[in-house]
Amino acid sequence: MNWTRTDAVRRWIVVAGLIIGPVILVLSVAINFSGPSNSMRSDFDRMAENPSLIVLEALLETIGFMIVLAALAGSTQALRSRGGALGTWGAALSIIGIVGFSFSNASGFTLAELAQLPDHDSTFATAMALMSSDTAGTVGTIGMAMEALGQVGILLVIGGLIRARLVRIWPLLIVVVGIVVNVAIGMMVTTLIADLLLLAACTWVGISLARCSNEAWLGLPTFVPEKLTTVTA
């Protein structure tokens, strides 16, 4: 299989996505680092004060995760033999994760629009009714489940790259630490830490893919020829 310009472009799109996506995620948290408070009404009032910031935060988070998950799915191009099964499952779950993060952040756009209406008491009651409805609960549960599957997909893809000996185990461990810390504590600061760790891991993976051989990126087996020796009498 010959190396073409298309192969080079595909690789650099994946590498760029692995770096740009996490950067956008970090930015989505940094622009609104105060995060949610202990009062739903306080959060709603904060949306009314600066709805564009809330929309921008949700939009950047959605775009960031889409780019990360799509880039990881694209990196499975290199997994045609070793690590192929892990990469295939990981890519499929990453696509599901894209849908999940879109579902979860869609509510942020709706609440921001409600917060801009003049009668805050009525709109807050409407927002609470929407959030507590059976439909919203079902959609929220499905969205969270898809997000979790997307995170599993990230781990599987990186596991496949490790199996193919394209990256070392450290990026996988970094992502696991970020997920555990974020789930266990669940604060805005831990979300930022998790995103920074994801940035470090994805950058590591991106650099490894950028530096691998053309044959390795195409998923071709590479062999090191045995050194020929001359036997003299």
Side-chain angles (χ1 to χ4, degrees):
M1 187 179 295
N2 296 325
W3 180 259
T4 66
R5 182 176 298 178
T6 300
D7 295 315
V9 171
R10 286 175 178 172
R11 175 158 68 173
W12 283 111
I13 288 175
V14 168
V15 171
L18 288 171
I19 298 173
I20 294 173
V23 168
I24 294 176
L25 286 176
V26 171
L27 182 61
S28 72
V29 179
I31 63 174
N32 190 25
F33 191 67
S34 58
S37 65
N38 295 326
S39 169
M40 294 294 294
R41 183 55 189 262
S42 297
D43 292 338
F44 192 76
D45 291 340
R46 183 169 57 86
M47 290 182 185
E49 294 173 0
N50 201 345
S52 59
L53 185 63
I54 304 300
V55 171
L56 181 60
E57 176 190 3
L59 183 61
L60 288 177
E61 184 180 21
T62 302
I63 293 174
F65 271 115
M66 283 182 173
I67 294 175
V68 170
L69 292 169
L72 283 169
S75 70
T76 58
Q77 155 75 29
L79 304 178
R80 299 191 182 186
S81 53
R82 296 175 63 92
L86 287 174
T88 299
W89 283 105
L93 294 180
S94 294
I95 300 303
I96 294 175
I98 290 176
V99 179
F101 282 105
S102 300
F103 272 6
S104 297
N105 288 327
S107 62
F109 301 122
T110 303
L111 292 177
E113 288 297 324
L114 285 174
Q116 295 180 69
L117 298 178
D119 190 346
H120 280 233
D121 291 333
S122 297
T123 53
F124 177 70
T126 301
M128 291 299 97
L130 287 174
M131 293 178 63
S132 60
S133 66
D134 293 338
T135 301
T138 301
V139 171
T141 301
I142 294 174
M144 291 180 62
M146 286 183 169
E147 284 183 17
L149 291 175
Q151 292 176 332
V152 174
I154 292 174
L155 299 179
L156 290 179
V157 171
I158 296 177
L161 295 172
I162 294 171
R163 180 81 174 85
R165 298 178 182 176
L166 292 173
V167 301
R168 298 188 178 184
I169 195 173
W170 301 113
L172 180 65
L173 297 180
I174 291 172
V175 174
V176 169
V177 170
I179 293 174
V180 171
V181 169
N182 195 29
V183 171
I185 302 177
M187 297 174 61
M188 206 65 176
V189 65
T190 56
T191 300
L192 179 60
I193 292 172
D195 289 343
L196 287 171
L197 290 175
L198 182 62
L199 172 59
C202 287
T203 300
W204 191 324
V205 172
I207 292 174
S208 298
L209 292 177
R211 297 176 61 182
C212 74
S213 66
N214 296 343
E215 291 78 12
W217 171 251
L218 294 174
L220 301 176
T222 56
F223 300 96
V224 179
E226 296 181 3
K227 184 178 180 181
L228 298 177
T229 59
T230 303
V231 180
T232 57

